[in-house]
Amino acid sequence: MGNRVAREDYEWVYSDQPHADRRKEILAKYPEIKSLMGPDLRLKWIVCIMVGIQFLAFYLVKDLDWKWVLFWTYAFGSCINHSMTLAIHEISHNTAFGNNKATWNRYFAMFANLPIGLPYSASFKRYHLDHHRYLGGDGVDVDIPTEFEGWFFCTRFRKFIWIILQPLFYAIRPLCINPKPISQLEVTNLVCQLTFNFLLYMLWGAKPVVYMMAGSMLGMGLHPISGHFIAEHYMFLKGQETYSYYGSLNLLTFNVGYHNEHHDFPSIPGCRLPMVKKIAAEYYCDLPQYTSWVRVLYDFIMDDTLSPYSRIKRKLKGDVKQE
């Protein structure tokens, strides 16, 4: 468990990300893919049901013994809260109400944020679009671990701890890599979330609040679904920047596993990404892919060639227009 990882730096490249060129090539060959773009009419109703389920869970856990609160926090709450973060990911691409109602999407994301407990939907939108536009961009893409993470989490045991602490690093990384002025929407998101958390505590006590907050932290840490954090862009094969996962957990995660397809066509909602793969199969079937996020987590920890440094990074050229 003490073996040190061989990598001492990121994988620096001097080429553009592959997704824009592949998008142009696919659209030239299959223009019908454009018809898949646009909002997912079911998304807002699915999110409302998920929020309602968590509200019901808040009520049900308030009278349970603490051991059962903790059990259901990991067994159920962590799954639905992580799924809700990926619903917010979908909404950040305006797939709930469409591009013409961008503000509706922003406030609906705050509504979806409520049962997560941590106010992050407004900030996520700002940084996530930069991630798509400047994938691997030095000083811009906050999905890339910091130098400290790459240097310190360099043994199997430390990588294990790093995965547990993923929510913490995703929260503080933007402040280290690419701090931005606080926006009015972020203030609104914070006030709404803190108000909701306070009212939940006053109405039903501490247990629902612990269930909510701990469920979010556990669900984004050492959890089968959190394997997608590593699977999406960590360089298991030299030179391969993005990977797709085609396993059953896509049913809980709005098809976020179709990650090559998503980066090629971010305006296509997750429910239609399998159709992209079906139409343009020759572009995706031969790319490296996963069938198990649990195996991804295990391999990342146990493979001494992999670490937080195992990311492709590039210096950006020209004007950088951020959100």
Side-chain angles (χ1 to χ4, degrees):
M1 295 290 281
N3 293 347
R4 294 185 66 87
V5 173
R7 293 200 69 94
E8 296 182 351
D9 198 0
Y10 309 99
E11 182 78 6
W12 289 94
V13 300
Y14 303 93
S15 58
D16 293 332
Q17 59 163 299
H19 299 288
D21 288 341
R22 187 161 59 221
R23 181 188 311 123
K24 292 177 183 177
E25 190 173 336
I26 291 175
L27 286 176
K29 189 172 183 179
Y30 301 108
E32 63 268 29
I33 283 181
K34 290 182 180 180
S35 67
L36 302 178
M37 300 175 182
D40 174 5
L41 299 179
R42 304 176 307 164
L43 179 60
K44 54 182 173 292
W45 305 116
I46 293 172
V47 168
C48 288
I49 291 170
M50 292 171 67
V51 170
I53 288 172
Q54 279 297 68
F55 283 10
L56 176 60
F58 295 155
Y59 174 79
L60 293 176
V61 302
K62 69 182 179 67
D63 296 320
L64 294 179
D65 290 339
W66 276 107
K67 63 180 179 182
W68 289 111
V69 172
L70 297 178
F71 171 80
W72 288 113
T73 294
Y74 190 80
F76 182 76
S78 63
C79 297
I80 196 165
N81 273 12
H82 197 138
S83 182
M84 191 65 78
T85 67
L86 295 169
I88 291 171
H89 165 257
E90 282 284 286
I91 299 166
S92 74
H93 291 283
N94 292 336
T95 55
F97 297 98
N99 293 324
N100 293 331
K101 296 180 178 178
T103 302
W104 289 30
N105 287 286
R106 301 292 77 74
Y107 285 104
F108 188 63
M110 293 183 199
F111 169 73
N113 198 154
L114 292 178
I116 295 173
L118 308 170
Y120 92 105
S121 66
S123 297
F124 176 81
K125 160 76 174 179
R126 301 178 74 193
Y127 286 103
H128 184 66
L129 296 188
D130 290 341
H131 166 67
H132 273 272
R133 190 177 294 131
Y134 304 112
L135 180 63
D138 183 34
V140 175
D141 185 0
V142 299
D143 193 58
I144 302 283
T146 61
E147 290 273 2
F148 170 77
E149 292 170 76
W151 167 76
F152 185 78
F153 296 100
C154 58
T155 68
R156 294 177 183 179
F157 178 72
R158 291 183 188 182
K159 287 191 287 182
F160 174 76
I161 298 300
W162 181 72
I163 287 174
I164 293 175
L165 298 177
Q166 280 291 289
L168 173 65
F169 287 110
Y170 269 96
I172 65 176
R173 202 179 286 157
L175 304 177
C176 301
I177 295 177
N178 186 17
K180 297 183 179 184
I182 297 175
S183 70
Q184 183 60 51
L185 280 174
E186 287 172 309
V187 173
T188 302
N189 188 193
L190 176 65
V191 171
C192 289
Q193 190 63 59
L194 292 180
T195 301
F196 174 79
N197 294 355
F198 175 75
L199 292 175
L200 179 63
Y201 173 78
M202 294 300 295
L203 183 62
W204 288 329
K207 290 178 181 178
V209 177
V210 171
Y211 167 86
M212 173 178 65
M213 303 288 284
S216 296
M217 298 296 290
L218 292 171
M220 291 184 283
L222 189 64
H223 192 281
I225 297 177
S226 72
H228 79 87
F229 289 133
I230 305 298
E232 289 166 359
H233 297 292
Y234 283 78
M235 193 179 63
F236 280 67
L237 296 176
K238 187 175 177 63
Q240 182 65 31
E241 188 163 14
T242 306
Y243 302 77
S244 287
Y245 156 84
Y246 298 124
S248 58
L249 286 177
N250 277 312
L251 296 172
L252 299 177
T253 58
F254 299 90
N255 283 334
V256 75
Y258 286 76
H259 218 66
N260 267 301
E261 296 84 347
H262 172 60
H263 270 264
D264 288 350
F265 300 99
S267 58
I268 295 179
C271 66
R272 301 185 197 128
L273 290 177
M275 297 173 68
V276 173
K277 181 175 181 285
K278 182 178 180 180
I279 292 170
E282 70 271 25
Y283 288 92
Y284 299 109
C285 288
D286 293 333
L287 291 177
Q289 57 191 251
Y290 302 113
T291 57
S292 170
W293 279 334
V294 173
R295 182 58 187 265
V296 167
L297 291 173
Y298 176 83
D299 288 347
F300 181 82
I301 293 169
M302 300 305 294
D303 189 334
D304 293 333
T305 67
L306 296 171
S307 79
Y309 270 141
S310 300
R311 290 293 298 266
I312 288 178
K313 205 170 183 183
R314 51 178 57 86
K315 295 286 185 181
L316 297 175
K317 305 171 186 177
D319 292 335
V320 176
K321 298 179 181 180
Q322 301 184 56
E323 289 295 316

